[in-house]
Amino acid sequence: MAKTAYVTDLKSLQGECSANYLRLIRLVGDMEQGQSRDIPLSEEGKNALHLYIQENAPYTTMIQVSQTGPLDHVLESPKMRVHLYHDVRMAEVTDFQRERHFHGRYRYPNPRMHQPDEKLQLNRFLGEW
């Protein structure tokens, strides 16, 4: 049986990006460039979602999303850069853990061991986060 190539699921990717845009807009509200906000992820306040507005332009906003917690001195916490595109009301993960610019699909296996749908998985992770 021949292995078929992965086909990017644009409908799912666009759905994730649209849902993430709405979630992030509620969290960042009217924050301006250079401002940050910590959102507690537990009642004890030991874990928090950190949002930092890196750049704010009329049609786009660039946000640094990270998590802080008690193990920060031992493990590298998740960190990503997200672009908000206001004209199409979508949010896209563009950087994750020091890697930039993810493709819509990858051949597998590949040197960095990205999954065929790496971009979709990163945007789903943002939504679940």
Side-chain angles (χ1 to χ4, degrees):
M1 180 184 246
K3 189 174 180 182
T4 59
Y6 171 77
V7 176
T8 304
D9 184 354
L10 286 177
K11 187 175 182 180
S12 292
L13 180 60
Q14 289 175 335
E16 284 295 330
C17 291
S18 294
N20 287 341
Y21 178 86
L22 295 174
R23 291 176 186 120
L24 285 169
I25 284 296
R26 282 198 322 230
L27 294 175
V28 299
D30 58 353
M31 289 171 57
E32 296 180 13
Q33 186 169 321
Q35 291 183 323
S36 63
R37 173 174 291 152
D38 288 324
I39 301 166
L41 297 175
S42 63
E43 288 185 25
E44 305 86 39
K46 294 180 180 178
N47 293 307
L49 186 66
H50 180 75
L51 303 170
Y52 173 73
I53 306 295
Q54 289 183 313
E55 190 177 307
N56 206 354
Y59 300 105
T60 61
T61 299
M62 195 177 344
I63 303 173
Q64 183 78 36
V65 182
S66 59
Q67 185 172 330
T68 57
L71 298 177
D72 287 349
H73 64 286
V74 178
L75 297 172
E76 182 179 7
S77 62
K79 183 188 293 185
M80 62 177 55
R81 182 179 302 154
V82 181
H83 278 81
L84 301 181
Y85 302 103
H86 303 298
D87 53 346
V88 292
R89 301 177 57 83
M90 296 177 104
E92 178 186 26
V93 176
T94 55
D95 297 30
F96 180 70
Q97 303 297 87
R98 296 190 213 115
E99 283 204 47
R100 308 176 110 183
H101 308 292
F102 294 92
H103 299 290
R105 74 174 181 206
Y106 289 92
R107 292 187 184 276
Y108 192 83
N110 56 69
R112 294 198 172 257
M113 293 305 290
H114 289 301
Q115 295 297 310
D117 62 343
E118 189 83 11
K119 189 173 203 166
L120 176 59
Q121 287 188 35
L122 287 172
N123 283 286
R124 277 192 179 143
F125 173 66
L126 173 62
E128 292 171 3
W129 197 7

